[in-house]
Amino acid sequence: MIKIELLRIDSTGKKNIEDVVCEETPLTIYLEEKELLTLLCSPHDLKELCIGFLYSSRLIKSLDDIKNIIIDRQNWNANIELNKKMGNNKLMFKRLYTSGCGKGTVFYNALDCIHKIKITSDARISSEKIVALMDCFQASSLGFKETGGVHSAALSSGDDILVFKEDIGRHNALDKVIGEALVKNLNMKDSIILTSGRISSEIISKAESARASFLISRSAPTDQAIKLAKELNLTLIGFVRGKRMNVYTANERVT
Amino acid sequence: MIKIELLRIDSTGKKNIEDVVCEETPLTIYLEEKELLTLLCSPHDLKELCIGFLYSSRLIKSLDDIKNIIIDRQNWNANIELNKKMGNNKLMFKRLYTSGCGKGTVFYNALDCIHKIKITSDARISSEKIVALMDCFQASSLGFKETGGVHSAALSSGDDILVFKEDIGRHNALDKVIGEALVKNLNMKDSIILTSGRISSEIISKAESARASFLISRSAPTDQAIKLAKELNLTLIGFVRGKRMNVYTANERVT
């Protein structure tokens, strides 16, 4: 958070005030000395962001695939070495480069990498628990309260919130959560992912990479997100506000 | 908008209901037969999206640079031919591919393309007018009201809203506005751009491509957006809610 001066206009008139806004940093990721991409992100938890991003983009299979990550906060670079060289796997780079992301999207072709293995988990959660988790999630979001400009994401076992992260990008926030879960060796299988943001197909793709059984948001999903969640048998819950919620898919898991 | 069935849970219990969600489509843009990128977008106003995207990414200088756009709604491709061949301008492609966007961002290097010519406009707007424009802007947003899942953007002369567009991506919504303004040959210089979304540096970059003097949002800006707006002498106004607003830069234009 950074302090700035601004002109506040309201019904009482104009005044110069100090306020806080969130920081935005371009982080350029180099994988095996090749420039992969630049993320616009909040400048904290950058190692977790890199790890989560590589994992949810299916560029690594586990933390063991990473030999070294050096974050250069002078030039805002992340230099990542892998244990298993990607070698001539130019296809992967090509896919990433050419079909890349877009505006407001992660690499679209990450979606092609989804194995679409149906989630068979018999985990259950009550609607009361969902309400309580969302309350706790929102209470944790200091950045939003202070700046109104960040998204948040979290990992929960169903009882507690295990990891909570914020970022100016909703994708980044979730990647930071996944990255930290990998670093801390937390079990993500059958877990619950919470997000403050809208749910498009890439968010489902990231939740699938974590092998979560539940994806819960206070915002809206798109039609493609619902379609993909259905194929994966992932329980997708949106618009959790107060005691109200919409369960879009695999609703047998909500008791 | 697409109708879906879902399980609604609220304080009165559970019931199966019908609701609408917004559509998400991957549109792959081919420029001179080369795949440029895939945008996840709402499947309407796709020509305007392509034109606005190329323009705000500084890939074209005017609508005259485009010879032909064919939107293939079967395969969700846009095939664009230019009048002036890009030829061996591989640098541009390389920049786009390699420094591409990221999660929640447009091509970051578009920012490098900003000329950073200071806006010298002596256009003025009253805070009452800003409140009235934002009221009108929000009243126009049918998509948000129905699905809660779309962003909107608009172009205004100060009196009326000239162009209004919606998309699941905040960048796309603004590109659609810019695209339609180009098609209709509307004057964007010294205009007002309104957006429902948060303002990061790429949104400023797009407003600059349109040569707007005002950028108005009901959401928060990042520190980099404020810094860039200051350099450009663009009037950046955020958190317009009710009669309240924050003027971050070039506040002499707000009377």
Side-chain angles (χ1 to χ4, degrees), chain B residues 172-185:
Chain B
N172 294 339
L174 182 47
D175 280 337
K176 284 177 175 179
V177 165
I178 293 172
E180 184 157 309
L182 290 170
V183 170
K184 290 187 171 170
N185 200 22

Side-chain angles (χ1 to χ4, degrees), chain A residues 24 101 103 175 198 201 222, chain B residues 24 101 103 168 175 201 222:
Chain A
E24 171 194 323
C101 31
K103 297 171 293 182
D175 280 336
R198 289 166 305 117
S201 48
T222 65
Chain B
E24 171 195 325
C101 32
K103 296 171 294 182
I168 55 165
D175 280 337
S201 47
T222 65

Side-chain angles (χ1 to χ4, degrees), chain A residues 147-192:
Chain A
T147 68
V150 294
H151 278 293
S152 42
L155 178 75
S156 170
S157 58
D159 292 317
D160 302 304
I161 287 187
L162 306 173
V163 183
F164 177 88
K165 296 288 173 194
E166 293 184 313
D167 198 279
I168 55 164
R170 62 200 166 95
H171 302 90
N172 293 339
L174 182 48
D175 280 336
K176 285 177 174 179
V177 165
I178 292 172
E180 184 158 309
L182 290 170
V183 169
K184 289 187 170 167
N185 200 22
L186 299 175
N187 183 26
M188 289 190 278
K189 189 165 185 305
D190 298 342
S191 66
I192 298 163

Side-chain angles (χ1 to χ4, degrees), chain B residues 130-166:
Chain B
I130 293 169
V131 169
L133 275 178
M134 185 54 83
D135 283 349
C136 177
F137 177 65
Q138 288 199 256
S140 307
S141 186
L142 283 172
F144 186 79
K145 266 176 229 130
E146 291 193 21
T147 67
V150 294
H151 279 292
S152 42
L155 177 75
S156 170
S157 58
D159 292 315
D160 301 303
I161 288 186
L162 305 173
V163 183
F164 177 89
K165 296 288 171 191
E166 293 183 313

